[in-house]
């Protein structure tokens, strides 16, 4: 449910716009605000991490030893100063005093705000398993996690990674490249079950096991066992399988950091509830990115969050009340990933139902796979593995709701072939012309 609140007068222009969170979303908002015709006079950014904003997506190649930590930095501290933005790092906002429009930090600072943006992101989701508090059990979410895992990998030995999604796969590959023996445990029956169908997931598993990575699907964990000295010694599955490990990484997903909003008495369900201008139940407070919830949706991909940033930046800088800024609207997104050197592209439903027309191209020797799901001639979903060059074209057709019946025979061959058939069908002399089947 979206928050509802009455309109109020503009905030005190002398008080700063405060952004809580110096992650990718918070930093993107700063850059978007600075590009506005009338940016805020004073912006304060408070980040709990000690480092300025960095590209969290690149943590995987950092762990694999393929790049240095400084290559992840989006902007250094000097840039903020040059832009007139106050940057406070290594501090956590502990309380929001809405009635006074003030907040207090873990360092004891009290700061007033005119408008407040919560971009607190998310934290690693943790399963209810015995042994999670043992030494040697890690998450993989920030620079400190990457540094700790790099140090652990330097000692060699065996690692177990829990979670067969993107983050788990990248963590497993990173540790393998660092020289560890790695086993990945996926609770579902296939890797990346939210993006891939059985065939594509099977191809990915074959690729990864061929590199020496152990993969267990339908893996149900009973406990993380200790060595009787407070360190993890291994993972025991419910079927009795024992996996020795001095390093265990939990990468099963994320949970929104909504506690600050809850403490402040804002509307919170699974995350901080916002309207289409990212406003919370308090009109002076906004939420953005992984910590917010809009129309029951939560966020973990950058594309919708970047669209939220543009809406919020324009809204915060809008001074004409009778010309409101267009609100945020949900739209379908495609997932384009590169998993350990393998390109993937997917959108729409993962599994076909009895009403789908299913088209498949599969070339195991070349490592290529394409599967399309159509309903009444219109494309609803696609999974591409290996060669993903057709992905954006497929996605565009799906967004347009285009009837592809006339080019069905060419859909798996290439955009040019399909477009040619569609164009010829629309030419003046194409009436009743038979469609030539592609070879």
């Amino acid at each position: 449910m979206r928050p509802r609140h009455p309109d109020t007068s503009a905030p005190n222009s002398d008080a700063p716009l405060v952004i809580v969170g110096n992650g990718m979303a918070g930093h993107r908002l700063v850059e978007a605000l600075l590009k506005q015709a009338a940016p805020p006079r004073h912006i304060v950014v408070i980040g709990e991490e000690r480092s300025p904003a960095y590209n969290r997506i690149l943590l995987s190649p950092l762990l694999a030893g393929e790049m240095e930590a400084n290559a992840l930095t989006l902007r250094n501290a000097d840039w903020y100063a040059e832009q007139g933005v106050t940057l406070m790092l290594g501090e956590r906002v502990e309380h929001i005093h809405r009635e006074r429009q003030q907040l207090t930090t873990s360092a004891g600072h009290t700061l007033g705000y005119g408008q407040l943006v919560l971009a607190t992101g998310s934290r690693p989701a943790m399963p209810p398993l015995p042994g999670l508090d043992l030494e040697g059990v890690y998450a993989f979410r920030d620079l400190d996690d990457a540094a700790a895992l790099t140090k652990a990998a330097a000692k060699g030995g065996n690692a177990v990674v829990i979670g067969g999604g993107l983050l788990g796969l990248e963590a497993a590959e990173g540790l393998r490249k660092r020289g560890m023996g790695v086993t990945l445990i996926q609770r579902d029956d296939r890797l990346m079950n939210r993006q891939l169908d059985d065939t594509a997931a099977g191809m990915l598993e074959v690729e990864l096991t061929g590199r020496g990575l152990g993969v267990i699907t339908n893996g149900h964990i009973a406990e993380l066992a200790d060595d009787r000295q407070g360190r993890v010694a291994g993972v025991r599955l419910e079927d009795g399988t024992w996996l020795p490990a001095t390093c265990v990484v939990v990468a099963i997903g994320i949970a929104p950091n909504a506690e600050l909003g809850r403490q402040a008495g804002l509307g919170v369900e699974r995350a901080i509830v916002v309207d289409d201008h990212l406003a919370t139940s308090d009109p002076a407070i906004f939420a953005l990115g992984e910590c917010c919830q809009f129309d029951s949706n939560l966020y973990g991909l950058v594309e919708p969050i970047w669209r939220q940033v543009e809406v919020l930046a324009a809204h915060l800088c809008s001074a004409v009340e009778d010309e409101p800024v267009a609100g945020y609207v949900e739209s379908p997104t495609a997932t384009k990933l590169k998993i350990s050197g393998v390109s993937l592209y997917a959108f729409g439903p993962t599994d076909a139902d009895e009403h789908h027309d299913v088209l498949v191209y599969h070339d195991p020797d070349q490592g290529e796979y394409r599967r399309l799901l159509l309903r009444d001639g219109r494309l609803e979903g696609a999974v591409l593995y290996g060669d993903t060059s057709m992905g954006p074209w497929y996605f565009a057709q799906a967004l347009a709701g285009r009837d592809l019946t006339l080019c069905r025979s060419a859909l798996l061959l290439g955009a040019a072939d399909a477009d040619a058939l569609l164009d010829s069908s629309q030419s003046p002399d194409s009436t009743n012309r038979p469609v030539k089947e592609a070879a």
Side-chain angles (χ1 to χ4, degrees), residues 8 95 146 201 240 253 271 285 322 339 374 378 405 412:
T8 61
H95 293 285
I285 303 178
D322 58 352
I339 307 294
L374 295 96
R378 290 169 173 80
T405 302
L412 294 170

Side-chain angles (χ1 to χ4, degrees), residues 5-344:
H5 48 71
D7 292 335
T8 61
S9 59
N12 183 351
S13 60
D14 293 330
L17 166 64
V18 178
I19 301 172
V20 180
N22 189 221
M24 293 176 67
H27 174 74
R28 182 93 170 196
L29 178 61
V30 172
E31 294 203 326
L33 289 168
L34 294 175
K35 293 176 182 177
Q36 297 294 312
R41 294 172 57 189
H42 187 193
I43 301 173
V44 177
V45 179
I46 305 174
E48 185 172 351
E49 293 188 63
R50 298 183 298 274
S51 302
Y54 57 89
N55 189 339
R56 213 176 289 274
I57 296 171
L58 297 178
L59 285 172
S60 298
L62 174 66
L63 176 59
E66 297 168 352
M67 60 172 39
E68 299 296 326
N70 57 13
L72 278 65
T73 303
L74 296 172
R75 299 284 189 177
N76 58 33
D78 290 342
W79 177 86
Y80 291 85
E82 291 166 0
Q83 305 301 318
V85 176
T86 301
L87 180 62
M88 302 167 62
L89 296 177
E91 292 193 48
R92 182 180 65 259
V93 174
E94 294 191 332
H95 293 285
I96 298 172
H97 310 282
R98 291 170 50 199
E99 69 284 354
R100 302 195 301 269
Q101 291 198 192
Q102 290 181 337
L103 53 82
T104 57
T105 75
S106 56
H109 294 126
T110 299
L111 182 66
Y113 63 85
Q115 293 169 308
L116 178 64
V117 178
L118 302 180
T120 50
S122 63
R123 63 186 180 278
M126 289 292 173
L129 290 174
L132 280 179
D133 58 346
L134 293 171
E135 185 179 351
V137 178
Y138 305 91
F140 183 39
R141 185 65 182 158
D142 58 29
L143 283 173
D144 288 342
D145 294 333
L149 287 171
T150 299
K151 184 177 180 180
K155 299 176 183 178
N158 296 316
V160 170
V161 176
I162 302 171
L166 171 62
L167 199 60
L169 289 168
E170 293 290 15
E173 265 292 272
L175 293 174
R176 184 191 68 79
K177 289 177 179 177
R178 291 279 185 178
M180 299 195 81
V182 184
T183 300
L184 183 142
I185 302 174
Q186 166 70 322
R187 185 180 180 86
D188 203 87
D189 62 356
R190 64 178 185 259
L191 299 176
M192 295 194 69
N193 57 293
R194 293 184 179 180
Q195 291 87 17
L196 304 182
D197 64 0
D198 288 336
T199 302
M203 293 174 71
L204 180 60
E205 182 174 342
V206 169
E207 171 67 25
L208 295 177
T209 55
R211 300 179 187 182
L213 185 70
V215 176
I216 297 175
T217 54
N218 289 311
H220 300 275
I221 299 171
E223 64 169 343
L224 278 58
D226 66 56
D227 64 355
R228 305 193 179 215
Q229 295 182 350
R231 284 196 56 85
V232 69
V235 175
R236 192 181 311 280
L237 302 186
E238 291 180 357
D239 64 4
T241 300
W242 169 249
L243 301 169
T246 56
C247 172
V248 174
V249 182
V250 181
I252 64 169
I254 57 175
N257 285 328
E259 289 71 23
L260 192 57
R262 186 174 287 110
Q263 170 270 318
L266 301 176
V268 177
E269 294 175 2
R270 291 184 297 159
I272 302 170
V273 180
V274 298
D275 66 13
D276 60 353
H277 286 104
L278 289 307
T280 69
S281 52
D282 183 326
I285 303 178
F286 303 80
L288 171 72
E290 293 173 342
C291 71
C292 83
Q293 174 182 325
F294 173 72
D295 278 352
S296 301
N297 296 304
L298 302 182
Y299 304 93
L301 298 175
V302 296
E303 184 180 335
I305 296 174
W306 288 176
R307 289 191 279 109
Q308 291 178 358
V309 164
E310 295 304 315
V311 169
L312 182 54
H315 180 70
L316 291 173
C317 297
S318 174
V320 184
E321 294 185 0
D322 58 352
E323 294 184 11
V325 173
Y328 173 77
V329 178
E330 286 292 343
S331 64
T333 57
T335 303
K336 183 177 182 180
L337 305 169
K338 187 174 284 290
I339 307 294
S340 306
V342 177
S343 295
L344 306 170

